[in-house]
Amino acid sequence: MEIINREFLNQLSRKASKNERLRINHNFHQSPDAPSQRLLNAMEPGTRIPVHKHDHTAETYVLLSGSIRVDFYNAENEVSESAVLDPKQGTYGINIPAGQIHSLEVLEHGTVIFECKDGPYVAIK
């Protein structure tokens, strides 16, 4: 059993801030081949999830702390829509349909999302 509380999120955020990529995952799934990829992704300002898409699965983010901007792109790789997730503003999560080109930018120190998508894991290209 793992309890996700403020102390746990703060520990992840400290690890993320010391990581070269300014982010760190805490996986709940047992392997990259698991059919359900469930994880906490702790990220600090300065990190950005690059423009990418998942052809085979939708992806869902639920923001537990901090704030992020999710940008959606059209076929010409131009930003077509943006959403800012910030619990203080009442925006908690987003579901990204399969095949939707998107990126994520961290806006606040101590940002942690719960992320889930179908597996197996496929590296961003």
Side-chain angles (χ1 to χ4, degrees):
M1 175 174 68
E2 292 182 88
I3 302 291
I4 302 168
N5 57 21
R6 174 54 42 205
E7 180 182 338
F8 188 75
L9 298 181
N10 287 344
Q11 287 174 4
L12 284 178
S13 290
R14 281 193 294 277
K15 289 179 184 178
S17 68
K18 294 176 183 177
N19 186 293
E20 180 180 318
R21 297 171 62 208
L22 295 175
R23 65 180 178 197
I24 192 162
N25 290 351
H26 178 84
N27 294 340
F28 295 109
H29 55 280
Q30 299 301 309
S31 78
D33 295 328
S36 176
Q37 305 286 300
R38 298 165 293 108
L39 59 128
L40 295 177
N41 196 343
M43 303 171 285
E44 291 295 307
T47 192
R48 188 174 167 89
I49 307 297
V51 176
H52 69 287
K53 67 178 177 170
H54 305 279
D55 288 323
H56 71 286
T57 182
E59 181 173 35
T60 303
Y61 302 149
V62 176
L63 188 65
L64 301 177
S65 62
S67 60
I68 61 173
R69 182 177 59 241
V70 181
D71 289 328
F72 295 113
Y73 297 81
N74 60 24
E76 291 76 40
N77 278 337
E78 301 165 330
V79 175
S80 59
E81 194 173 352
S82 291
V84 173
L85 303 183
D86 184 338
K88 296 181 293 293
Q89 303 299 317
T91 50
Y92 304 101
I94 194 165
N95 186 66
I96 302 164
Q100 173 63 60
I101 304 167
H102 62 284
S103 66
L104 181 154
E105 182 179 3
V106 178
L107 303 175
E108 188 176 336
H109 169 71
T111 294
V112 182
I113 62 172
F114 175 75
E115 181 178 332
C116 60
K117 57 186 168 266
D118 296 338
Y121 171 75
V122 176
I124 294 174
K125 295 180 182 179

